[in-house]
Amino acid sequence: MLRRSFVPALAAAPALPALAFQPRPAGRIRITDVRLVPLKVVRDVGSIEPAWSPGTRTQFRVGGGSFVEIRTDQGLTGIGPGMAPELVPAAKEQLTGKDPFDVETHSARLRYYAAGAAYRGAAGVDIALWDLIGKACGQPLYKLWGGGKDRVPAYASMIQLSTPEERASLAQQLLAEGWTAIKLRAHYPEMRDDIRLVEGVRKAVGDRMTIMIDANQAQSSGDWQPGVLWDFERAVETARELQRLRCYWLEEPLPRYYFDRLAELNRLVEIPIAGGENNRGIHEFLTMLRQETFDILQPECMVLDGVTTVRKIGVMAEVFGRRIVPHHGGGDLGTVAHLHLIASWRHAPYLELLHDPPVGSYQHRFGIMENPPVVDRDGFVSLPQKPGLGVEIRRDLIAA
């Protein structure tokens, strides 16, 4: 309510001096081009059958694909993950002549005019805008976003199902290399085999590694997908067994939109329930939080059209007292964007890296960068200290 004394006070007050937050002068920075830059393939590494999509193969190579590049009249350039080529003209039309700092407006318009499939939509443009903003400010993104952590722990996210013996051996190898956390895929037809897998890894590494479990039951937007399908009873029984084995979380134990059933599961078990990597709307995460569906949110910037939306989900998670561990970010520049996000949040305990060596090593997809982040001997990833994302694309990979 306004105080009556406000009116005469305002009339008599002297003119206020100009404030630092006034709009930037017109023409300070203007976007001149948005383009998709193809990359050469250095070498094919091989392929892996992902546990969540039996009968298919995921190809790993060094190089290949593309990246988004945004240029300005001040000589600054922002980079982001690639996108569908047919969306580039719309992105260029929306951004050319505009100030890159108006990122909220750009994000909203890109979601409308340049919306695309997950991992192929406007996320690359949004990330390139933030990279550009960081470079204009002379700060790495995590510092620009208020982050105080200059290194974060990573977990090795497995891709294939393999065997209990091989997974136990690989876990020991990763532990010797410095990794302190691993995520296993629970995709055997019978629950007892999933539990035997986890028991084998727990016996091999003891309590020296954190173990996460991913059921991948939310890949489809419906209630069918390839491979084993869990019902509610299997989800509850598996969760209780994993709790006994001291697992850190159980991820995606039921279909994507079974919010009520997931919330009921969460009330019945003690192990944290995680999920959200395939959900495309910020309103879905608000529903998850209100219904206490998940203890740990896992938004994916390459699904949610960029980090602008994921930052908001991070605030929501903090308000509701939940942790947040973003999905893997696509494996290259999106992962680096997630690294900066995690360093800016107090309630984000881990960075996910798809890492199932030798074929599925995270270093293959990071190979497009001049100065890629690496997992050190303590299992941490140090934040790039250069402005923006803090990484650059290898010039020798840029195709003619």
Side-chain angles (χ1 to χ4, degrees):
M1 184 172 67
L2 288 172
R3 296 188 182 95
R4 281 180 292 178
S5 60
F6 245 32
V7 178
L10 284 174
L16 294 173
L19 297 176
F21 55 78
Q22 285 186 335
R24 291 178 300 282
R28 179 183 174 189
I29 301 179
R30 288 291 179 265
I31 294 169
T32 59
D33 194 17
V34 179
R35 65 179 190 144
L36 194 62
V37 183
L39 295 170
K40 301 173 186 176
V41 174
V42 175
R43 71 178 186 277
D44 283 310
V45 179
S47 64
I48 292 179
E49 180 182 36
W52 57 87
S53 187
T56 67
R57 306 290 294 185
T58 296
Q59 186 69 35
F60 284 83
R61 54 176 58 96
V62 176
S66 60
F67 70 98
V68 168
E69 185 176 76
I70 299 179
R71 295 184 175 185
T72 70
D73 60 356
Q74 301 298 311
L76 293 173
T77 300
I79 60 173
M83 66 190 302
E86 62 270 20
L87 299 178
V88 175
K92 184 173 181 177
E93 181 180 359
Q94 292 303 313
L95 295 179
T96 299
K98 305 293 177 56
D99 184 342
F101 280 83
D102 295 334
V103 68
E104 287 288 345
T105 297
H106 300 327
S107 176
R109 294 180 70 86
L110 287 168
R111 280 196 299 272
Y112 186 87
Y113 290 106
Y119 299 92
R120 300 293 293 159
V125 181
D126 182 80
I127 291 169
L129 283 169
W130 278 108
D131 182 51
L132 188 53
I133 290 169
K135 289 171 179 173
C137 295
Q139 292 292 328
L141 286 178
Y142 81 98
K143 289 188 176 180
L144 201 64
W145 293 334
K149 298 182 285 189
D150 58 8
R151 59 201 296 260
V152 300
Y155 73 83
S157 185
M158 300 292 98
I159 300 170
Q160 57 190 335
L161 184 59
S162 192
T163 66
E165 293 76 20
E166 190 277 336
R167 296 288 88 168
S169 177
L170 180 58
Q172 288 177 313
Q173 174 190 322
L174 294 173
L175 181 62
E177 293 172 359
W179 294 81
T180 59
I182 185 172
K183 184 165 78 178
L184 305 171
R185 305 288 167 173
H187 284 270
Y188 285 102
E190 301 295 332
M191 188 189 84
R192 63 175 179 269
D193 295 318
D194 285 335
I195 302 307
R196 191 168 71 88
L197 168 71
V198 182
E199 287 175 335
V201 174
R202 176 58 77 198
K203 182 178 179 181
V205 300
D207 288 326
R208 294 171 295 168
M209 283 190 97
T210 300
I211 299 176
M212 300 87 160
I213 306 300
D214 194 345
N216 288 118
Q217 294 297 301
Q219 294 297 106
S220 165
S221 60
D223 57 4
W224 183 91
Q225 61 189 32
V228 61
L229 295 175
W230 289 16
D231 57 17
F232 187 76
E233 182 180 5
R234 176 160 176 177
V236 172
E237 291 180 1
T238 301
R240 287 173 173 163
E241 284 295 300
L242 297 178
Q243 187 175 298
R244 174 180 64 82
L245 291 165
R246 307 181 302 285
C247 293
Y248 192 72
W249 73 55
L250 171 59
E251 183 174 335
E252 293 192 331
L254 291 171
R256 192 183 307 177
Y257 296 111
Y258 283 24
F259 296 147
D260 293 339
R261 297 292 272 168
L262 284 161
E264 183 181 355
L265 168 66
N266 208 0
R267 287 190 290 271
L268 290 174
V269 301
E270 294 179 20
I271 184 173
I273 304 299
E277 69 188 57
N278 294 298
N279 295 87
R280 300 207 66 173
I282 192 170
H283 62 286
E284 296 176 44
F285 287 88
L286 181 58
T287 299
M288 295 173 197
L289 290 165
R290 284 175 170 168
Q291 295 186 201
E292 299 184 344
T293 300
F294 295 124
D295 301 289
I296 301 168
L297 297 185
Q298 298 174 312
E300 166 59 71
C301 74
M302 300 300 295
V303 171
L304 288 157
D305 296 314
V307 294
T308 301
T309 300
V310 178
R311 291 183 69 223
K312 295 172 184 176
I313 294 171
V315 173
M316 289 163 50
E318 186 174 25
V319 169
F320 280 85
R322 295 293 186 265
R323 285 167 286 175
I324 183 166
V325 180
H327 190 235
H328 61 64
D332 46 54
L333 295 177
T335 304
V336 177
H338 280 179
L339 174 62
H340 284 275
L341 283 172
I342 292 164
S344 73
W345 291 326
R346 293 176 299 172
H347 56 311
Y350 280 105
L351 170 71
E352 178 177 23
L353 289 177
L354 276 182
H355 185 62
D356 198 342
V359 173
S361 170
Y362 78 92
Q363 294 172 325
H364 299 323
R365 286 177 171 163
F366 274 22
I368 65 171
M369 305 173 210
E370 291 280 2
N371 48 339
V374 296
V375 178
D376 65 23
R377 296 293 300 178
D378 296 322
F380 281 74
V381 179
S382 293
L383 271 293
Q385 295 302 307
K386 292 183 179 180
L389 290 173
V391 298
E392 298 296 338
I393 300 297
R394 286 172 51 183
R395 307 314 294 178
D396 64 306
L397 293 188
I398 295 177

